[in-house]
């Protein structure tokens, strides 16, 4: 069975549509997903080194960023042909879309955040080589394995700099600062660099510029306010338990997180528990969906502006 995307009404839990992706290249390994204001789905494929554009009827517009099965690190001036543009990526991971239709991609192995404009121009927003450097100049910035990313209403991009155990904030000019996270991995709440993360992999942002981070190896969802103060919103150990705050439990294979349009609830892929979890901004964790072990596993999710949730399932 091919990979598929389920479109779900979160009010009724009904599956509104199932979008099959059988037309994708063999061996596609989809890792991140975002949905534009117009409802277009963008998905990263870390195996084929591209970002696809997928319509609700299942049509796939080749590669909008990158060239299928071609690794590299190249920018482009525009889009060429049905298989995308001349840009090159290496393990594209997180993806997000701003209100103007710009696409941002965490180019994981190249340690860069790349931006694709609606006209098709692909450029580096921030990043150069591997390291841990913040700067007013995007070309001088260094990441170490950027993973999940999110964008707020002002066009500011938030990055899980996984290998540096930090959350970084990137302005449209490329200026980058460290919002939270100290040197080395660990577990500590606190202000800015006093906070410690174990493995920040997924992120979303609300209307007030609060960030919510999947801290995978710490089994926690962390909240970072606009000043950089970090607290634990939910979790604390492995398991499968609904509850409030530290009483909640989820698995090590907890990856993606998305905020619904109300700004009051987040939904989380809890992969090893075969579940999608629902978390309120006050820290109440419940199970939204749970299914028996199948040959498919959910890997990422996103919301459209109407409040439908899209869950991407990979065929194993």
């Amino acid at each position: 069975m091919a990979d598929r995307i389920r479109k779900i009404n979160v009010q009724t839990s009904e599956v509104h549509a199932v979008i099959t992706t059988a037309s994708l290249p063999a061996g596609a390994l989809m890792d991140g997903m975002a949905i534009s204001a117009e409802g277009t789905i963008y998905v990263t494929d870390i195996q084929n080194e591209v970002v696809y554009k997928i319509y609700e009827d299942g049509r796939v517009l080749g590669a909008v960023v990158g060239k299928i099965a071609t690794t590299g690190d190249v920018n482009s001036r525009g889009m060429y042909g049905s298989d995308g543009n001349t840009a090159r990526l290496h393990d594209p991971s997180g993806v997000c879309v701003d209100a103007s239709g710009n696409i941002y991609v965490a180019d994981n192995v190249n340690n860069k955040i790349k931006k694709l404009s609606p006209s098709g121009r692909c450029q580096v927003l921030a990043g150069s080589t591997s390291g841990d450097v913040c700067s007013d100049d995007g070309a001088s910035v260094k990441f170490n394995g950027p993973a999940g990313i999110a964008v707020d209403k002002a066009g500011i991009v938030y990055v899980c700099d996984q290998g540096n155990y930090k959350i970084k904030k990137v302005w449209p000019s490329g200026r980058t600062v460290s919002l939270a996270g100290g040197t080395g991995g660990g577990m500590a709440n606190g202000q800015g660099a006093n906070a410690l993360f174990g493995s920040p992999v997924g992120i979303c942002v609300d209307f007030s510029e609060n960030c919510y981070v999947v801290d995978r190896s710490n089994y926690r969802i962390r909240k970072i306010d606009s000043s950089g103060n970090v607290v634990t919103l939910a979790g604390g150990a492995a398991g499968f338990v609904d509850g409030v705050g530290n009483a909640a439990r989820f698995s090590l294979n907890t990856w993606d997180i998305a905020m619904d349009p109300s700004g009051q609830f987040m939904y989380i892929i809890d992969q090893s528990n075969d579940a999608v979890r629902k978390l309120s901004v006050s820290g109440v964790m419940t199970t939204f969906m749970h299914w028996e072990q199948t040959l498919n596993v959910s890997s990422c999710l996103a919301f459209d502006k109407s409040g439908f949730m899209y869950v991407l399932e990979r065929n194993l």
Side-chain angles (χ1 to χ4, degrees):
M1 180 165 44
D3 293 352
R4 61 189 179 184
I5 300 170
R6 293 177 184 260
K7 181 179 180 181
I8 300 167
N9 184 329
V10 296
Q11 302 302 319
T12 64
S13 300
E14 294 178 317
V15 177
H16 184 76
V18 177
I19 305 163
T20 60
T21 55
S23 60
L24 291 178
L29 185 58
M30 297 185 284
D31 191 61
M33 180 168 60
I35 301 171
S36 71
E38 292 74 30
T40 303
I41 304 166
Y42 295 93
V43 178
T44 58
D45 179 353
I46 61 174
Q47 183 68 37
N48 287 305
E49 317 291 359
V50 296
V51 179
Y52 301 113
K53 183 176 184 178
I54 302 175
Y55 297 97
E56 194 169 314
D57 61 8
R59 288 179 298 127
V60 178
L61 181 63
V64 295
V65 187
K67 184 176 181 180
I68 292 171
T70 305
T71 300
D73 183 13
V74 180
N75 298 327
S76 74
R77 294 183 179 178
M79 298 173 67
Y80 299 92
S82 61
D83 71 337
N85 57 39
T86 57
R88 299 291 179 265
L89 306 170
H90 196 174
D91 284 8
S93 183
V95 60
C96 60
V97 186
D98 69 17
S100 300
N102 297 298
I103 305 166
Y104 302 88
V105 182
D107 195 357
N108 183 272
V109 175
N110 287 324
N111 295 299
K112 295 174 181 176
I113 305 302
K114 291 188 175 176
K115 175 183 177 181
L116 180 75
S117 71
S119 66
R121 181 170 182 257
C122 184
Q123 60 185 331
V124 175
L125 177 65
S128 52
T129 58
S130 178
D132 185 9
V133 176
C134 292
S135 173
D136 288 342
D137 175 20
S140 300
V141 171
K142 294 185 178 183
F143 298 102
N144 185 7
I149 59 175
V151 61
D152 70 14
K153 60 187 177 182
I156 297 171
V157 177
Y158 298 80
V159 181
C160 290
D161 192 1
Q162 186 178 5
N164 287 320
Y165 311 101
K166 295 178 180 179
I167 305 303
K168 292 180 178 176
K169 188 174 179 179
V170 186
W171 275 259
S173 65
R175 175 178 177 252
T176 302
V177 301
S178 180
L179 179 64
T183 302
M187 171 56 215
N189 293 322
Q191 183 70 37
N194 292 321
L196 296 176
F197 294 88
S199 182
V201 293
I203 190 168
C204 64
V205 59
D206 68 16
F207 304 128
S208 300
E209 300 179 13
N210 298 302
C211 293
Y212 302 87
V213 178
V214 177
D215 190 1
R216 180 173 173 261
S217 62
N218 282 323
Y219 304 97
R220 287 169 167 86
I221 306 300
R222 316 287 293 279
K223 177 183 177 181
I224 312 171
D225 68 20
S226 58
S227 72
N229 188 57
V230 180
V231 299
T232 295
L233 187 63
F240 187 23
V241 179
D242 292 337
V244 180
N246 292 336
R249 297 287 183 265
F250 38 84
S251 72
L252 176 65
N253 286 325
T254 299
W255 295 100
D256 203 13
I257 185 169
M259 178 72 69
D260 76 2
S262 75
Q264 297 301 305
F265 297 97
M266 290 149 277
Y267 292 76
I268 302 155
I269 294 290
D270 188 353
Q271 196 175 87
S272 292
N273 285 323
D274 302 303
V276 175
R277 313 292 292 278
K278 180 179 179 180
L279 178 63
S280 73
V281 294
S282 61
V284 179
M285 174 79 79
T286 58
T287 298
F288 174 71
M289 295 178 65
H290 182 229
W291 53 92
E292 296 299 323
Q293 181 72 40
T294 67
L295 293 178
N296 279 30
V297 298
S298 298
S299 61
C300 53
L301 76 171
F303 278 88
D304 67 17
K305 67 178 182 181
S306 299
F308 284 100
M309 180 174 65
Y310 295 70
V311 178
L312 192 153
E313 295 181 351
R314 293 199 310 233
N315 181 33
L316 297 180

